[in-house]
Amino acid sequence: LSQVRVEVVTIGDELLDGSIVDTNSALIAQKLLGLGLEVWRMTSIGDEPHAIRSALQEVAGRSRVALVTGGLGPTEDDRTAQAAAEAFGCPLFLHQPSLDRIRELFQSSGLEMTPNNERQAWVPGGSEVIPNPMGTAPGFALERGQCLLVFLPGVPRELERMLEETVLSMVARRLEPQGSVVSRTLKVFGLTEAKMGQMVAGALDGIPQASLASLPRYPENRLKVTARSADPRQALQALDEAERRLRERVGRWVYGLDGDELESVVQALLRRQGNRLAVAESCTGGLVAHRLTEVPGCSDVLEWAVVAYSLRAKEALLGVSREILEGPGPVSAQTAQAMARGAMARSGASVGLATTGIAGPGGGSQETPVGTVFLGLAHGSRAWSRRFQFRGGRGNVKTIAATVALDWLRQYLLGGDPEAYGAPWR
Ligand code: ATP
């Protein structure tokens, strides 16, 4: 697609010593993709003036557009403007409107303006100043040969605003849009990355416009399809076809697209079916309820949620019988089912969901080692339970148990057999 070279250069010692992560490059790449432009190269360099100068000269010699962030601040280590002036032989000049604006900002905020704040109003000769509505340091753009170099502050929110308000249209004007790049992310839960990779291998053969990336995000996985074409319609067709083929392979493990979360999908299913849910949690300590209540509109579908940790609470709040608690015990299929039934019956909800298990690190036994979790589900007169063996520390076991509980419910609401549900952690 984009034959033109577009580069990003980020400046700052903090990037090289690992004290901050370079999110600016990612932000710029995402925004440019919206214009149909793919970044060809990203470079991070320190505050050393010689390094900045030579990086800028190299970039100007090989690319059509370079977006440079960082080092426009008021302090000694902010050397980008000076380095650009030296690299291209265009001495700094005082941009009076920027200085006036900086003065005004200080006056209106009641903060003292120190002489070094004035430094930020000095920009390389011949450059076009780019306003910074959120901060003191303006940006500036310089033409050198074939290349447009745009210098922007390092602070991410200032950068984002300036990209949107000025820089993207500046770049688009300079480079004819290169066609269309569209992407879609399939959210997957319940498969390891390796297993998923095996299932989708070769799925996009014959769709040259589409490419696939597998993005694990514990405990989930994502499949991101990107389609590129000079013709926007063709890009969309390729994307649709790629999604269809991936769904054919990964099927029920795809729980949603793009902005969907497991909890929002579960919420939507409950709402659509007119069901109301009651949750009874032990080892997940309220995590299932927390996740569901993160999604606005939860009160339409969530009737009741309790954390019943002790035996007494399981008995008193959920009516789990003493025989069960003393027989099979609190971490058992019977308890999970009884908790789900109890939650449903006592709340008047139509569906009950329960978790009980051993999150660790202590409390395991031969029969129920750490990581053993039973989930319970009740609907009408029926109830089910399922045993899982999860790995990892306490936090992992809680996270994965809550996620499996939501996914188990999701698949049941979609018509799946709760007893046939199986994830690789079974
Ligand atoms: P300021 O006007 O605030 O001084 P600046 O252009 O001088 O802006 P820097 O001093 O380089 O920017 O960085 C300011 C802050 O912005 C850094 O402390 C850091 O938190 C953040 N930042 C800088 N570069 C990046 C980057 N590449 N990715 C993410 N954050 C960054």
Side-chain angles (χ1 to χ4, degrees), residues 189 219-220 262 291 398-408 421:
F189 175 71
E220 303 183 6
L262 209 38
R291 286 181 57 175
K398 288 178 67 179
T399 304
I400 198 106
T403 313
V404 171
L406 288 167
D407 194 52
W408 189 39
Y421 181 88

Side-chain angles (χ1 to χ4, degrees), residues 81 90-95 98 119-127 129 138-140:
C90 43
L92 297 178
F93 75 98
L94 178 66
H95 185 248
S98 292
R119 278 167 56 107
Q120 295 181 296
W122 288 78
V123 299
S127 57
V129 169
F140 53 88

Side-chain angles (χ1 to χ4, degrees), residues 387-410:
R387 180 185 180 136
F388 298 89
Q389 182 63 53
F390 303 126
R391 280 189 309 247
R394 193 173 172 82
N396 286 6
V397 171
K398 288 178 67 179
T399 304
I400 198 106
T403 313
V404 171
L406 288 167
D407 194 52
W408 189 39
L409 175 59
R410 177 186 74 87

Side-chain angles (χ1 to χ4, degrees), residues 10 14-15 20-24 70-74 78 120 137 153-156:
T10 49
E14 292 166 294
L15 293 166
I20 61 168
V21 175
D22 173 22
T23 55
N24 285 354
L72 298 184
D78 290 312
Q120 295 181 296
V155 183

Side-chain angles (χ1 to χ4, degrees), residues 70-265:
L72 298 184
T75 57
E76 275 298 299
D77 59 2
D78 290 312
R79 304 189 176 114
T80 304
Q82 180 63 35
E86 287 167 11
F88 304 121
C90 43
L92 297 178
F93 75 98
L94 178 66
H95 185 248
Q96 191 62 43
S98 292
L99 182 61
D100 295 344
R101 185 164 174 283
I102 294 171
R103 286 218 173 97
E104 254 172 53
L105 273 177
F106 276 95
Q107 253 164 21
S108 62
S109 63
L111 293 171
E112 183 196 351
M113 178 167 164
T114 52
N116 56 2
N117 282 118
E118 209 183 294
R119 278 167 56 107
Q120 295 181 296
W122 288 78
V123 299
S127 57
E128 178 184 341
V129 169
I130 300 171
N132 177 354
M134 301 187 80
T136 50
F140 53 88
L142 268 177
E143 300 251 3
R144 266 301 167 275
Q146 282 277 294
C147 188
L148 172 74
L149 295 109
V150 185
F151 296 81
L152 297 159
V155 183
R157 59 195 185 101
E158 295 178 20
L159 169 69
E160 181 162 17
R161 181 87 183 261
M162 292 166 80
L163 286 171
E164 277 165 6
E165 289 194 0
T166 318
V167 179
L168 292 177
S169 51
M170 195 178 224
V171 172
R173 270 198 309 277
R174 183 171 181 91
L175 308 170
E176 282 296 301
Q178 299 295 304
S180 178
V181 182
V182 283
S183 65
R184 196 169 294 161
T185 302
L186 279 71
K187 303 276 193 77
V188 179
F189 175 71
L191 299 171
T192 59
E193 195 192 8
K195 175 80 182 154
M196 186 176 74
Q198 202 183 37
M199 287 163 91
V200 302
L204 304 194
D205 287 357
I207 320 180
Q209 301 91 342
S211 63
L212 185 63
S214 152
L215 310 167
R217 291 275 163 89
Y218 179 84
E220 303 183 6
N221 281 298
R222 295 172 183 192
L223 286 169
K224 182 173 179 180
V225 194
T226 304
R228 305 169 170 81
S229 168
D231 173 1
R233 258 182 333 176
Q234 221 177 47
L236 266 180
Q237 273 165 8
L239 195 65
D240 289 341
E241 174 61 13
E243 180 189 339
R244 195 189 60 73
R245 291 201 199 168
L246 291 171
R247 282 185 183 272
E248 231 170 59
R249 306 276 188 109
V250 187
R252 67 198 169 108
W253 302 108
V254 176
Y255 72 78
L257 288 179
D258 298 324
D260 290 340
E261 301 291 347
L262 209 38
E263 43 273 33
S264 63
V265 171

